[in-house]
Amino acid sequence: MSQQIPISSTVLTPNTIHAAQMNSIRDLSVFVPNFFIPDYGSAMSSVPYIRGVGSRSSGQSMALYVDHVPYFEKSTFDFDFYDIRQIEILRGPQGTLYGRNALGGIVNMYTLSPFEYQGTRLSATGGSYGLAKIRAAHYDMINEKIGWSVSGYYNHTNGFFTNQYNHRSADDKSSAGGRVRIEWLIRPNLHAQYIFNYDYVDQSAFPYGLYDPSTGKTLQPDYNDENRYSRSIANNSLLLDYLTDKIQLTSSSSYQYFSDDMKMDQDFSPQSYFSLAQRQNQHAFNEEIVIRSKTSGNYQWSFGLTSFIQKLYTDAPVAFKEDGLKNILQPVFDQIAQNPNAPTMIITNDVMDIPGSYNTKTWGGALFHQSTFNHLFVEGLSITAGLRADFERTDLDYFTHTHLDLDMVRGPMRIPISIADTLKGKTSLEFSEILPKIALKYAWNDRQFVYATVSKGYKAGGYNIQMFSDLMQTQLMNQTPSAPEVNVSNVIAYQPEHSVNYEIGYQASFLDNRLRTQLSLFYMDISDMQLTKFVPSGNGRMITNAGEVTSKGAELSLQAYLGKGFGLDINYGYAHASFADYTDSVKIGNAVQEVDYKGKFVPYAPQNTVGVNGNYIHSFHHAFIDHIRADVQYLGTGKIYWDEANSLFQNFYHTLNAKIGIARNNVGLEIWGKNLLNTYYHTFYFESFGNQFFQKGKPFQWGVSLNVSL
């Protein structure tokens, strides 16, 4: 936890990460006040919510950096933790400090350097549900100026849920990866660092079960088409760091390649309605240069320049299958045939394919600056002012088409016909924004201070490529001479999201740093919130702008060393995020009505997060073991509303984790458990064709780990 800067932040050390069983970014959830990432879907479903602000389908509300390298797609956020030296979570807009714009906050991860540690680490874990995990890492120095490291992992689980249709696992998962690092102290004040990182995952995915409103229970998954996800990520980065007694100049250059393959039964039922097979391929380049002062005077400053280009190709064919044609499209033609002058139209396709290919090119850049004036007017008073100028452009090149075969029946005549449609074109969006920030801080000693911050946040708009299959279906059914031409760009575009953020806080340490505390109150005024909703046909989802939203709340962190080997870490967050002005068109029966959601809570964002971590360590003298350590975590989350009408919700729920381990010399053995109380809860909700689906939380798990350091 930072004690120097007026920012709500949490810093996690390797001991905390290991003790709390944090294996991926989803495991940070709830340990950090008002930070929540639900565990559902697949490795691509990493949806962070910070202070009631999230981005389930749109761009980043949170920026992720790993060793100074930004990750562009949320689909790449979920990877296995290993080699982690430190994780830093900053809440609130941070665009005046970092290259990637972030409306909700920043997560910085740093991996272990061979300059900090030399040796070999090995770890093996086995547990329930077929868990098998292996990690290995070696760090070494060629000489006093050049160091290198290599590390890797393999992780497998048989999964927790069974598809009732074929009695196979609905969420088995295997992942593997590795990292190579070379560091060179070129001169005493010039440091270079090259890192190559690769991660792979292959899994059964989306274990969603049908919800029965009469019993309030969610059934096991039951679907006939394959639900699967695989992904590869490769990162190359070069960091140059030049340091003098006056300035620090840092250049971070990175290239990220990302490729994935998703197969989804979009009706999640044993019937054949429709399915999606999506493939993505990304090439992303980023350059970030930051220069900051290193003097000890009353004025500190930093300037930054960033530029990026991201090329994302998406191949997303949708297959409208037998039951969908029979039960959804055919009734439309039957309705038309009730007109005495209209012929009877009978669909003869077994499958209506809607192939789609989309090339999205996003590029942009930003200039950002921050200045701090210390001891302004009086001792201990400082002011920080920052400004960011941000520009982003998105170009979309799209092509999709389909056709439908029918028999036109008039009396005894039966004439085969075919109707087809194509959407092909290019469109673009440009966004620019000026984002100011100002903060006041007053420190009456070197251990306590209060602060107040006002800042502006922003998230760019974009395109709903998921809407094209729905758009094609509508186009196909409205092929009449009088049908108006659809403006594709207007239909699929969504607008930027803006926020004005107010925060006051207090940070302090007592008793020779054995007690540290952080308290903050925040208020966010959000306009045009980007909200995900499902299109009326059930063929997919879209992003819409949800008028005005306010989010207000409080955060408390407390870290205490209680003596005699006992430690306690408490984190609590409360966020009241609700619509101040939002109306939407909703289909009720056969009619479309305007519904006012003013005063309703924003869906998917929890109102409370509670994380309590207690630990105890006892050392032995002249005994077979060196020490024994025990860790217990209590995690509480909720209430979570699942829809804009707040008709469904997950009540506040809690889980309990624990670990106990012994160590001798460089060998440690641990026994651990997660969700010891086997709490029943839901992690995700959606609707498809009038059916309601949930994913259930993971049940009780246990395991044994062996750790060796050489």
Side-chain angles (χ1 to χ4, degrees), residues 149-223:
S149 66
V150 60
S151 54
Y153 74 93
Y154 171 78
N155 194 359
H156 174 79
T157 179
N158 291 340
F160 305 89
F161 308 106
T162 300
N163 182 1
Q164 299 303 296
Y165 184 84
N166 55 21
H167 304 289
R168 297 176 181 174
S169 173
D171 61 331
D172 62 278
K173 180 180 179 181
S174 295
S175 58
R179 180 181 295 111
V180 176
R181 181 189 197 117
I182 300 173
E183 293 193 52
W184 181 17
L185 191 60
I186 303 172
R187 296 173 59 183
N189 60 350
L190 181 60
H191 174 251
Q193 170 185 287
Y194 169 76
I195 297 177
F196 172 77
N197 183 74
Y198 176 80
D199 284 284
Y200 173 78
V201 63
D202 181 47
Q203 64 181 137
S204 297
F206 319 113
Y208 307 144
L210 183 67
Y211 174 69
D212 185 348
S214 64
T215 63
K217 295 294 184 181
T218 298
L219 305 179
Q220 284 283 337
D222 188 6
Y223 43 77

Side-chain angles (χ1 to χ4, degrees), residues 69-208:
V69 174
Y71 278 46
F72 283 80
E73 285 291 320
K74 297 192 304 298
S75 300
T76 65
F77 283 9
D78 186 18
F79 52 84
D80 286 62
F81 283 177
Y82 65 105
D83 268 0
I84 302 295
R85 174 175 61 86
Q86 181 175 288
I87 300 176
E88 178 185 60
I89 302 98
L90 308 178
R91 300 182 294 280
Q94 307 297 331
T96 62
L97 283 175
Y98 294 92
R100 290 296 288 169
N101 183 40
L103 182 143
I106 295 274
V107 174
N108 283 317
M109 298 186 187
Y110 303 97
T111 59
L112 191 59
S113 164
F115 279 86
E116 299 165 324
Y117 173 82
Q118 295 89 47
T120 301
R121 294 179 173 180
L122 304 171
S123 174
T125 298
S128 57
Y129 298 98
L131 175 65
K133 183 188 302 183
I134 299 173
R135 296 178 181 176
H138 180 73
Y139 311 83
D140 203 358
M141 298 290 294
I142 297 176
N143 54 46
E144 62 180 12
K145 293 186 177 181
I146 300 177
W148 65 278
S149 66
V150 60
S151 54
Y153 74 93
Y154 171 78
N155 194 359
H156 174 79
T157 179
N158 291 340
F160 305 89
F161 308 106
T162 300
N163 182 1
Q164 299 303 296
Y165 184 84
N166 55 21
H167 304 289
R168 297 176 181 174
S169 173
D171 61 331
D172 62 278
K173 180 180 179 181
S174 295
S175 58
R179 180 181 295 111
V180 176
R181 181 189 197 117
I182 300 173
E183 293 193 52
W184 181 17
L185 191 60
I186 303 172
R187 296 173 59 183
N189 60 350
L190 181 60
H191 174 251
Q193 170 185 287
Y194 169 76
I195 297 177
F196 172 77
N197 183 74
Y198 176 80
D199 284 284
Y200 173 78
V201 63
D202 181 47
Q203 64 181 137
S204 297
F206 319 113
Y208 307 144

Side-chain angles (χ1 to χ4, degrees), residues 272-292:
S272 296
Y273 277 88
F274 67 105
S275 63
L276 170 67
Q278 176 180 284
R279 296 177 181 86
Q280 295 184 109
N281 189 288
Q282 173 203 261
H283 298 271
F285 302 86
N286 188 81
E287 175 64 34
E288 189 170 319
I289 299 173
V290 178
I291 182 171
R292 54 177 58 89

Side-chain angles (χ1 to χ4, degrees), residues 258-452:
F258 151 63
S259 176
D260 73 355
D261 185 355
M262 178 185 70
K263 296 179 176 64
M264 180 184 288
D265 182 334
Q266 288 195 282
D267 56 84
F268 294 96
S269 73
Q271 286 75 43
S272 296
Y273 277 88
F274 67 105
S275 63
L276 170 67
Q278 176 180 284
R279 296 177 181 86
Q280 295 184 109
N281 189 288
Q282 173 203 261
H283 298 271
F285 302 86
N286 188 81
E287 175 64 34
E288 189 170 319
I289 299 173
V290 178
I291 182 171
R292 54 177 58 89
S293 61
K294 300 300 291 184
T295 59
S296 58
N298 288 336
Y299 175 57
Q300 280 85 44
W301 51 265
S302 66
F303 289 89
L305 168 67
T306 187
S307 61
F308 73 92
I309 181 169
Q310 178 192 26
K311 297 181 179 179
L312 181 65
Y313 172 75
T314 305
D315 179 30
V318 173
F320 218 81
K321 296 190 171 183
E322 180 182 357
D323 291 310
L325 294 173
K326 181 175 67 175
N327 298 323
I328 297 176
L329 289 189
Q330 185 61 56
V332 176
F333 288 107
D334 294 344
Q335 181 70 26
I336 296 173
Q338 292 182 10
N339 186 325
N341 297 320
T344 298
M345 309 292 282
I346 300 174
I347 298 173
T348 59
N349 293 71
D350 292 327
V351 176
M352 184 178 73
D353 289 314
I354 309 178
S357 60
Y358 313 98
N359 276 301
T360 306
K361 178 182 177 182
T362 305
W363 58 275
L367 290 168
F368 50 98
H369 165 69
Q370 186 163 292
S371 286
T372 298
F373 299 87
N374 293 313
H375 307 300
L376 187 67
F377 307 125
V378 297
E379 186 74 15
L381 179 65
S382 65
I383 183 171
T384 298
L387 192 67
R388 177 186 181 91
D390 195 278
F391 173 80
E392 189 168 316
R393 177 186 170 101
T394 298
D395 298 304
L396 175 63
D397 188 344
Y398 59 89
F399 175 69
T400 180
H401 63 94
T402 191
H403 80 279
L404 187 64
D405 296 324
L406 306 106
D407 279 350
M408 184 174 65
V409 180
R410 284 186 180 273
M413 298 181 60
R414 193 180 185 103
I415 304 172
I417 63 172
S418 180
I419 57 176
D421 205 349
T422 298
L423 289 175
K424 181 180 181 181
K426 297 181 180 180
T427 184
S428 63
L429 292 170
E430 289 187 2
F431 309 101
S432 59
E433 199 70 29
I434 300 296
L435 305 172
K437 175 182 179 178
I438 188 166
L440 285 173
K441 168 188 166 184
Y442 178 68
W444 50 92
N445 55 46
D446 60 358
R447 299 178 305 279
Q448 299 182 70
F449 68 85
V450 293
Y451 67 91

Side-chain angles (χ1 to χ4, degrees), residues 592-657:
V592 176
Q593 298 180 15
E594 287 291 317
V595 178
D596 188 354
Y597 294 119
K598 183 177 181 180
K600 300 293 185 180
F601 286 93
V602 174
Y604 298 96
Q607 296 177 22
N608 297 273
T609 60
V610 183
V612 180
N613 181 35
N615 59 79
Y616 171 74
I617 185 168
H618 180 77
S619 298
F620 297 90
H621 300 286
H622 311 294
F624 178 74
I625 61 175
D626 295 334
H627 69 262
I628 183 171
R629 174 168 178 146
D631 293 272
V632 178
Q633 295 93 34
Y634 168 89
L635 305 175
T637 310
K639 197 176 194 179
I640 302 173
Y641 286 99
W642 297 117
D643 60 352
E644 291 84 351
N646 293 178
S647 61
L648 285 171
F649 54 85
Q650 168 64 59
N651 272 320
F652 182 87
Y653 65 92
H654 55 262
T655 58
L656 192 67
N657 305 333

Side-chain angles (χ1 to χ4, degrees), residues 558-576:
L558 179 69
Q559 294 175 325
Y561 173 66
L562 304 177
K564 297 183 179 182
F566 288 94
L568 183 65
D569 191 349
I570 300 174
N571 292 283
Y572 171 71
Y574 171 73
H576 184 285

